[in-house]
Amino acid sequence: MTNEIIANILRNIGIYLEMKNISFKPRAYEKAAEFIESIDVPLSEIYKRGGLRALIGLPAIGVSIAEHIEELLKTGHLKYYEQLKNKTPVDLGELSSIEGLGPRSIKTLYKKLKIRNLKDLKKAAMAGKIRKLSGFGERSEENILKSVDFFEKSSDKFLLGFVMPEIREIESRLNSLDGVKKAVIAGSVRRRKETVGDVDILVVSDRPAAVMDYFVSMPEVGRIYAHGKTKSAVKFKNRMDADLRVVPLE
């Protein structure tokens, strides 16, 4: 659980809260995310040395946010974040993949035009609605349409060298879960193909439900295709599909 991932989760929490018109808290999460991105020392190391108290002692990190960080470091996911995602119909992972769209612009698009996903975004841009919003304009709308078009037409293949670090990070986290005997990468990634379309993961565990719950709630996940008892399928925020299968220890 890297500082970058934790900061991204906290920033997204702030966006979700701002969409609900909650005062003060969104800025607190944004400030915490900015601080975490600015430091070189991993939060995991700080927590290892001093526990929750060490996190609370950091600038911009209050008690509740420190507790969120602790849960992320210990379990790899955050229940509060998952609850917010389930209650807010905006696909942050999909919209943030469009060049020029950041947290604030996504919030504006949702509040003013009820844009929840890529389909809504394209429809609004083609209707000329985005250019009328403060902070956008005609050129911004044209760039959004070009970016959406590129996104839709881009290849579904990924250079292995670019995606391998993230895949290895996920494999490592799965191997650290309680009840997991072994987690391995399979398919084209294991065969070291130059380009890959998706990633297949095989886990040996006597706790398949817990592994499945963890997998679909990882911060890298942008969309859940299937969440089963022994097999789940998701799309990562980098647009790569991933399948996970759990087999028993026997």
Side-chain angles (χ1 to χ4, degrees):
M1 186 56 63
T2 65
N3 284 10
E4 181 182 3
I5 292 174
I6 293 173
N8 183 61
I9 290 173
L10 295 179
R11 181 171 284 111
N12 285 347
I13 288 175
I15 297 172
Y16 285 135
L17 293 177
E18 200 164 356
M19 288 177 176
K20 293 176 176 292
N21 295 315
I22 295 175
S23 302
F24 307 116
K25 284 187 177 182
R27 181 54 186 154
Y29 280 96
E30 175 66 24
K31 288 176 65 177
E34 290 174 352
F35 168 74
I36 292 169
E37 288 175 332
S38 72
I39 62 176
D40 296 326
V41 182
L43 289 174
S44 57
E45 291 297 324
I46 296 173
Y47 180 74
K48 185 177 181 180
R49 291 198 299 261
L52 182 62
R53 183 170 295 182
L55 296 177
I56 296 174
L58 295 172
I61 307 295
V63 176
S64 61
I65 292 180
E67 290 174 345
H68 289 336
I69 295 172
E70 180 181 46
E71 184 178 343
L72 285 167
L73 292 173
K74 292 174 69 175
T75 70
H77 60 90
L78 179 59
K79 290 181 181 179
Y80 180 60
Y81 178 49
E82 298 307 317
Q83 290 169 355
L84 286 173
K85 284 202 297 184
N86 291 334
K87 292 179 180 178
T88 309
V90 176
D91 192 332
L92 290 181
E94 191 171 80
L95 290 176
S96 62
S97 67
I98 300 303
E99 185 177 355
L101 290 189
R104 291 178 178 81
S105 55
I106 291 173
K107 176 201 167 188
T108 299
L109 291 170
Y110 173 72
K111 295 190 73 173
K112 299 294 185 180
L113 299 176
K114 298 301 179 185
I115 291 174
R116 298 175 172 85
N117 49 44
L118 206 61
K119 182 180 178 180
D120 292 344
L121 180 68
K122 183 177 182 179
K123 184 177 179 180
M126 293 184 69
K129 294 181 179 180
I130 295 177
R131 68 180 65 185
K132 299 175 183 178
L133 300 178
S134 175
F136 285 89
E138 185 175 350
R139 180 170 293 182
S140 294
E141 186 176 71
E142 291 174 354
N143 289 336
I144 287 173
L145 275 174
K146 289 178 182 178
S147 185
V148 170
D149 184 61
F150 176 78
F151 181 90
E152 292 177 336
K153 293 180 179 179
S154 61
S155 171
D156 59 355
K157 294 291 184 179
F158 302 82
L159 287 172
L160 183 60
F162 284 111
V163 297
M164 198 61 181
E166 185 173 17
I167 292 173
R168 286 303 185 201
E169 165 70 16
I170 292 170
E171 180 185 36
S172 176
R173 296 208 309 267
L174 288 169
N175 271 306
S176 69
L177 294 179
D178 290 339
V180 171
K181 183 177 182 181
K182 185 68 174 177
V184 295
I185 305 301
S188 57
V189 175
R190 184 178 181 85
R191 294 193 297 272
R192 292 294 193 277
K193 296 289 186 179
E194 184 177 353
T195 60
V196 295
D198 54 18
V199 56
D200 298 303
I201 307 172
L202 182 65
V203 172
V204 180
S205 174
D206 58 357
R207 298 181 59 191
V211 175
M212 289 296 146
D213 289 344
Y214 173 80
F215 179 67
V216 299
S217 64
M218 293 189 306
E220 293 88 354
V221 173
R223 180 181 300 175
I224 300 172
Y225 294 131
H227 182 187
K229 294 181 178 179
T230 59
K231 186 176 181 180
S232 291
V234 303
K235 180 182 284 294
F236 291 151
K237 291 175 182 176
N238 66 6
R239 297 186 293 111
M240 172 175 276
D241 289 335
D243 294 331
L244 173 68
R245 183 177 180 183
V246 177
V247 297
L249 294 175
E250 294 80 11

